[in-house]
Amino acid sequence: MNNIKKMPVHQLGYGFIKELPKGKDEYYLRNQQNRSGIKYRQLSALEIEQLVRNRNSSDNWNDILVSDAFSPELVKNCSFFGLVRIGKLEANCLIFSDLVVPVGIYNSTIISCDLGNNVAIHNVNYMSHYIIGNDVIITNVNEIVTTNHSKFGNGIIKKGEDESVRIWMEICNENTGRKVMPFNGMTSGDAYLWTRNRQDAVLQKKFKELTEKRFDNKLGYYGKVGDRTVIKNCKIIKDVWIGTDAYLKGANKIKNVTINSSAEASTQIGEGCELVNGIIGFGCRIFYGIKAVRFILSDHSQLKYGARLINSFLGPNATISCCEVLNSLIFPAHEQHHNNSFLCAALVMGQSNIAAGATLGSNHNSRGADGEVIMGRGFWPGLCVSVKHNSVFASFALLNKGDYNYELNMPIPFSLISNDTLKDELIIMPGYWFLYNFYALARNAWKYIDRDKRTDKTPIFEYNYLAPDSVNELLNARKIMAAAVAKAYLHSTKKPVDLPTEKLIAFGHNLLTTKTKKEIDALSVFVDDIENSKRKTRFIKTYEAYSIFEKMIFMYGMESLVDIINSKNNGKKAEQNILTHLKTLKSSTSELAWVNVGGQLIPQKSVSSLLTKIKSGAIESWDQIHQFYEDASSSYTAKKRNHALLVLELITKKKLSTLTNKQLNSWLDSYLEIKTDVTARIEKTRAKDYSNPFRKIVYENEAEMIAVVGDLKDNGFIKEQNLALKAISSNIAAIKESLRSK
């Protein structure tokens, strides 16, 4: 049966902290939390009389403290219990959008709360142990309560509590094997580092210690509602810390949650939402029937239209609509819509877009629970795609419509993956995005930068499709493709294919750079260890992909080289300065390895050093780890540039320290040629939408089509690309002229 207890009414609002430190009263934490600066006094006899006349009651009027500018006529039909402190009340209305409410406290029950200046509290059935800021509106709320053991969504336990009550966030694996303790301020990088290296017991223990050290275990903290926050028509708000300028309307239940909000980045929570055990970042939007449990929603992200987010971390600038997301760690700039798609036990490394009907996490009747899927930057499954655990995808992988009933290990970036049901083969088209949809690839990079609404853009999130992670994958993919072509050629000539891997790669490279496209396309090129099945995996368009991969790697390297030339260019001394600078570059393949840490790309060596410092105790707080991210951002441009130059050496097989004037001019010509081709591909792939007759059939004529979708000539992104190409062309011409004048 229900355990209903009883206590005297005069005790209501008192005894919030059962065991007090020596010399402290039960309000010592409350007094620390209340930074309003309001000076309180006791009520006068006349004020008490006015309050009683206005149908107000209190168990002890001596425990109702007010500011000098208190107006008792603005408090009506309220019940007060415990120590209640009230700020200035003036005969004004607070106006927010279409909501207009008088300042004051009306038809409410207030238990042991501090109310700031000029608040408007209307029809609050039960408000207990809250500190309310200035100019706050709270109207038509059933319950807003803080318990003495509140954690506000943080994965901690309070004094005297059992470990079993701790809230864990079970991300990346539904078997709890990668669970983390959520905390306010946790970043996608923090979550990523914590979920990795699970075999390292010392490291895992340190992460837990850092989190517990971030908080104390004292009982008795009050909930807070920041200045200018508006809460209306909500049912239950329990153990919730709310920042300034937030807007909550029509929420069903918010329990054990921190809601970060500020004047610069206001967070809004709308109708029908139910949020339990979570952290909500600055500038978030949560609307229309959301269900979120054990979650972190990072800054400027959105949950909309019945989305379900459970045991998951959603990175900054991300949106989930309608879908269900379980046990997932999602990096920045994720897009997911449509009611029948979901993620389960996934690590999604950002810039991803999940289409309708995508079933990512089906175990297909396996013997155990679901495993994990790891998706590199730019992952994009098509309509009605089904993917099986465990699977791993390189950056910018695109899955064609279909069921992928076997585990996949896809190391080829920018590829199109599809099923050939007639031949029962898995088909991989490397470089699909470069060959057939450069417009979407390039525009997405621009789009994500434009959508990054963070007021502070650190850490730096990498949105460019060519970056250390994806370029490293391109280098590796060329080796895989070369080895596969070598095997195909040897098989076609009935020669032994069991050569050492390095020899196969070298032989394949020779074939791909000396044979014609027709000769390479005539080969049946298969690759092993991509799919966990007996059927074959076939490469198509290998010749074109191998070539364009080389061009993209070269372009990536040359962009950094040109940046250095521009920074070192000193008129007639350009050649001397750049060549002198290049000789100081210390090339080391150990600098090639990079890690995507929550959307921020960091050299592997730096990450390993960080983890070592955490284990040794040299890193003593999450704030120091966050400082590491900031420091990594400060050095990112230089380190990325160094990586690009090292890659340039690898792809050209030439040391930059020996670069000659003639070779540099040749490279500049090649770079401009590639940039010109890329700009043309961007426009050409967008133009297909205007020339395709099936795209036109819904319009009466071309004029109507242009009126609906816009004129290609007016496309702002294409115009921007053409202008950028002109600037690059002029810059290269100036560099070459400067070199000639030497």
Side-chain angles (χ1 to χ4, degrees):
M1 65 180 182
N2 292 339
N3 184 18
I4 305 295
K5 300 179 181 179
K6 295 180 180 179
M7 73 175 187
V9 172
H10 70 266
Q11 293 181 11
L12 180 58
Y14 302 97
F16 193 57
I17 306 175
K18 305 301 181 185
E19 298 180 13
L20 292 169
K22 187 176 181 179
K24 302 289 186 181
D25 62 22
E26 69 167 296
Y27 308 117
Y28 81 102
L29 290 177
R30 172 179 176 178
N31 293 333
Q32 291 175 19
Q33 289 181 273
N34 188 339
R35 304 183 182 93
S36 67
I38 298 173
K39 293 183 178 180
Y40 300 104
R41 61 173 176 82
Q42 288 190 317
L43 293 165
S44 67
L46 179 60
E47 288 172 329
I48 294 174
E49 182 182 342
Q50 287 179 293
L51 288 169
V52 172
R53 196 162 48 239
N54 287 341
R55 300 180 304 280
N56 298 295
S57 66
S58 171
D59 61 314
N60 184 353
W61 287 111
N62 290 328
D63 280 348
I64 308 299
L65 305 181
V66 297
S67 74
D68 286 336
F70 173 72
S71 300
E73 64 271 15
L74 301 182
V75 182
K76 297 179 180 179
N77 200 31
C78 292
S79 298
F80 298 97
F81 299 90
L83 176 65
V84 177
R85 300 186 291 203
I86 305 171
K88 176 172 59 178
L89 295 178
E90 298 176 308
N92 293 318
C93 289
L94 299 183
I95 303 170
F96 178 78
S97 187
D98 295 327
L99 179 65
V100 183
V101 289
V103 165
I105 311 169
Y106 305 92
N107 307 311
S108 299
T109 298
I110 311 295
I111 302 170
S112 193
C113 292
D114 290 346
L115 309 181
N117 292 323
N118 288 319
V119 298
I121 310 294
H122 292 250
N123 305 317
V124 178
N125 294 340
Y126 194 91
M127 177 187 287
S128 172
H129 297 92
Y130 258 88
I131 298 171
I132 308 298
N134 301 322
D135 302 316
V136 168
I137 299 173
I138 305 179
T139 179
N140 298 330
V141 174
N142 287 359
E143 176 183 326
I144 176 167
V145 176
T146 303
T147 62
N148 68 350
H149 55 271
S150 177
K151 294 97 176 167
F152 307 112
N154 296 294
I156 57 174
I157 55 177
K158 292 292 186 173
K159 184 178 180 180
E161 289 186 321
D162 188 77
E163 178 65 30
S164 62
V165 306
R166 188 191 300 275
I167 297 299
W168 292 87
M169 190 166 58
E170 298 160 4
I171 53 179
C172 295
N173 188 303
E174 67 175 359
N175 292 324
T176 77
R178 298 192 188 275
K179 65 182 181 180
V180 301
M181 290 158 44
F183 60 87
N184 188 26
M186 189 180 210
T187 70
S188 50
D190 299 337
Y192 174 78
L193 292 177
W194 199 337
T195 59
R196 304 299 104 184
N197 302 298
R198 301 305 282 203
Q199 78 290 348
D200 192 330
V202 174
L203 180 64
Q204 295 301 316
K205 182 181 178 183
K206 287 291 185 181
F207 282 134
K208 184 176 179 180
E209 289 174 355
L210 294 181
T211 305
E212 290 178 326
K213 186 178 179 181
R214 194 175 178 89
F215 305 91
D216 64 51
N217 67 349
K218 296 174 184 175
L219 295 166
Y221 283 100
Y222 279 42
K224 294 190 74 173
V225 177
D227 297 345
R228 300 174 302 279
T229 282
V230 176
I231 305 174
K232 70 174 186 178
N233 303 327
C234 294
K235 294 182 179 178
I236 299 173
I237 298 173
K238 185 175 183 180
D239 293 340
V240 180
W241 190 101
I242 307 171
T244 70
D245 302 279
Y247 181 28
L248 283 63
K249 58 175 181 175
N252 288 340
K253 182 177 184 178
I254 307 177
K255 179 182 177 182
N256 191 30
V257 173
T258 289
I259 302 172
N260 289 289
S261 182
S262 68
E264 299 77 22
S266 172
T267 289
Q268 298 183 14
I269 299 173
E271 296 82 354
C273 295
E274 296 172 8
L275 312 170
V276 179
N277 301 333
I279 309 290
I280 298 170
F282 291 93
C284 290
R285 299 289 183 269
I286 304 174
F287 290 121
Y288 311 128
I290 297 306
K291 315 294 182 187
V293 181
R294 299 195 183 207
F295 68 98
I296 289 183
L297 189 68
S298 299
D299 296 350
H300 301 286
S301 287
Q302 302 182 70
L303 295 176
K304 301 187 295 185
Y305 311 126
R308 286 86 73 201
L309 186 71
I310 301 168
N311 266 314
S312 294
F313 187 111
L314 184 64
N317 300 299
T319 299
I320 296 177
S321 299
C322 310
C323 319
E324 179 182 22
V325 175
L326 308 176
N327 304 99
S328 294
L329 169 55
I330 302 174
F331 289 1
H334 173 79
E335 295 288 327
Q336 187 174 347
H337 309 275
H338 313 292
N339 198 44
N340 55 345
S341 57
F342 68 88
L343 292 170
C344 182
L347 169 59
V348 189
M349 293 189 168
Q351 293 169 261
S352 37
N353 195 316
I354 311 299
T359 304
L360 308 175
S362 173
N363 61 20
H364 295 288
N365 299 316
S366 67
R367 290 180 296 277
D370 284 355
E372 303 176 25
V373 178
I374 299 177
M375 308 160 191
R377 278 197 306 132
F379 181 74
W380 198 328
L383 297 172
C384 299
V385 161
S386 175
V387 175
K388 182 179 178 0
H389 290 115
N390 291 337
S391 291
V392 177
F393 298 92
S395 302
F396 298 94
L398 172 62
L399 275 70
N400 205 351
K401 178 180 179 180
D403 295 328
Y404 297 88
N405 296 327
Y406 308 99
E407 296 93 334
L408 293 171
N409 182 18
M410 172 54 58
I412 313 297
F414 304 99
S415 58
L416 173 64
I417 304 157
S418 57
N419 286 311
D420 186 332
T421 54
L422 294 178
K423 294 181 180 179
D424 192 25
E425 292 178 346
L426 181 71
I427 306 298
I428 300 174
M429 184 191 298
Y432 163 82
W433 290 104
F434 299 140
L435 296 171
Y436 297 107
N437 204 353
F438 225 127
Y439 176 84
L441 184 66
R443 185 180 177 278
N444 279 347
W446 167 84
K447 176 182 71 176
Y448 290 126
I449 294 171
D450 184 62
R451 291 181 179 177
D452 191 341
K453 302 303 181 185
R454 294 175 299 159
T455 53
D456 179 5
K457 298 299 177 67
T458 56
I460 295 173
F461 296 138
E462 180 59 82
Y463 297 125
N464 199 312
Y465 56 90
L466 292 179
D469 60 339
S470 58
V471 170
N472 285 347
E473 290 172 339
L474 287 173
L475 288 167
N476 184 55
R478 277 171 53 88
K479 293 179 180 179
I480 296 171
M481 292 158 62
V485 167
K487 286 184 178 181
Y489 181 83
L490 292 170
H491 181 77
S492 70
T493 57
K494 297 183 169 39
K495 293 180 180 179
V497 299
D498 55 343
L499 298 176
T501 301
E502 291 304 317
K503 286 191 176 181
L504 284 173
I505 293 171
F507 183 47
H509 173 74
N510 183 61
L511 291 171
L512 285 160
T513 53
T514 59
K515 298 291 184 179
T516 64
K517 176 181 179 301
K518 183 177 181 180
E519 289 174 304
I520 298 299
D521 287 348
L523 299 173
S524 293
V525 182
F526 298 106
V527 60
D528 299 324
D529 302 323
I530 299 291
E531 184 179 70
N532 184 23
S533 73
K534 294 181 180 179
R535 68 173 181 168
K536 294 181 177 180
T537 300
R538 182 189 295 269
F539 276 149
I540 62 174
K541 305 285 185 181
T542 316
Y543 180 89
E544 296 158 282
Y546 193 82
S547 174
I548 203 163
F549 278 13
E550 179 179 2
K551 291 178 180 178
M552 294 300 100
I553 296 167
F554 179 79
M555 182 177 75
Y556 168 74
M558 282 300 297
E559 284 176 345
S560 287
L561 187 66
V562 169
D563 283 345
I564 291 175
I565 292 172
N566 288 334
S567 65
K568 296 295 178 181
N569 200 340
N570 219 355
K572 295 183 179 181
K573 296 181 180 179
E575 180 193 5
Q576 178 183 347
N577 280 352
I578 185 59
L579 295 181
T580 301
H581 179 72
L582 290 176
K583 288 178 182 178
T584 66
L585 181 67
K586 296 179 180 179
S587 301
S588 171
T589 54
S590 66
E591 297 291 331
L592 281 172
W594 285 63
V595 183
N596 185 344
V597 181
Q600 179 181 7
L601 302 184
I602 306 176
Q604 176 67 68
K605 284 178 63 176
S606 299
V607 175
S608 298
S609 176
L610 170 68
L611 298 181
T612 299
K613 290 179 181 178
I614 293 171
K615 290 171 63 176
S616 70
I619 295 288
E620 299 179 327
S621 69
W622 282 110
D623 288 339
Q624 287 180 284
I625 295 175
H626 296 167
Q627 185 60 52
F628 166 83
Y629 300 150
E630 291 194 24
D631 294 342
S633 284
S634 299
S635 63
Y636 177 64
T637 301
K639 290 189 175 182
K640 179 183 177 182
R641 178 180 291 175
N642 183 63
H643 174 269
L645 296 181
L646 291 168
V647 164
L648 187 60
E649 289 186 333
L650 288 175
I651 201 67
T652 60
K653 297 182 174 59
K654 295 184 183 297
K655 284 287 184 182
L656 297 178
S657 57
T658 63
L659 191 62
T660 64
N661 187 312
K662 181 179 179 181
Q663 185 66 66
L664 179 56
N665 273 276
S666 176
W667 282 6
L668 291 169
D669 288 338
S670 297
Y671 170 62
L672 181 58
E673 183 181 340
I674 293 170
K675 291 295 288 185
T676 302
D677 179 56
V678 166
T679 305
R681 286 175 183 269
I682 290 171
E683 183 167 0
K684 181 180 178 181
T685 52
R686 183 69 177 104
K688 291 178 183 178
D689 295 331
Y690 289 82
S691 59
N692 186 332
F694 287 91
R695 291 291 180 97
K696 296 180 176 181
I697 59 177
V698 296
Y699 309 107
E700 290 293 333
N701 48 52
E702 188 166 343
E704 184 188 6
M705 181 181 73
I706 291 174
V708 173
V709 302
D711 197 327
L712 182 64
K713 298 192 300 291
D714 297 329
N715 186 293
F717 180 70
I718 292 175
K719 285 182 176 180
E720 185 179 291
Q721 296 301 302
N722 286 323
L723 288 173
L725 179 62
K726 288 181 180 179
I728 290 169
S729 180
S730 298
N731 183 42
I732 289 176
I735 293 171
K736 293 177 72 175
E737 179 61 30
S738 180
L739 291 173
R740 278 195 295 269
S741 65
K742 170 65 179 150

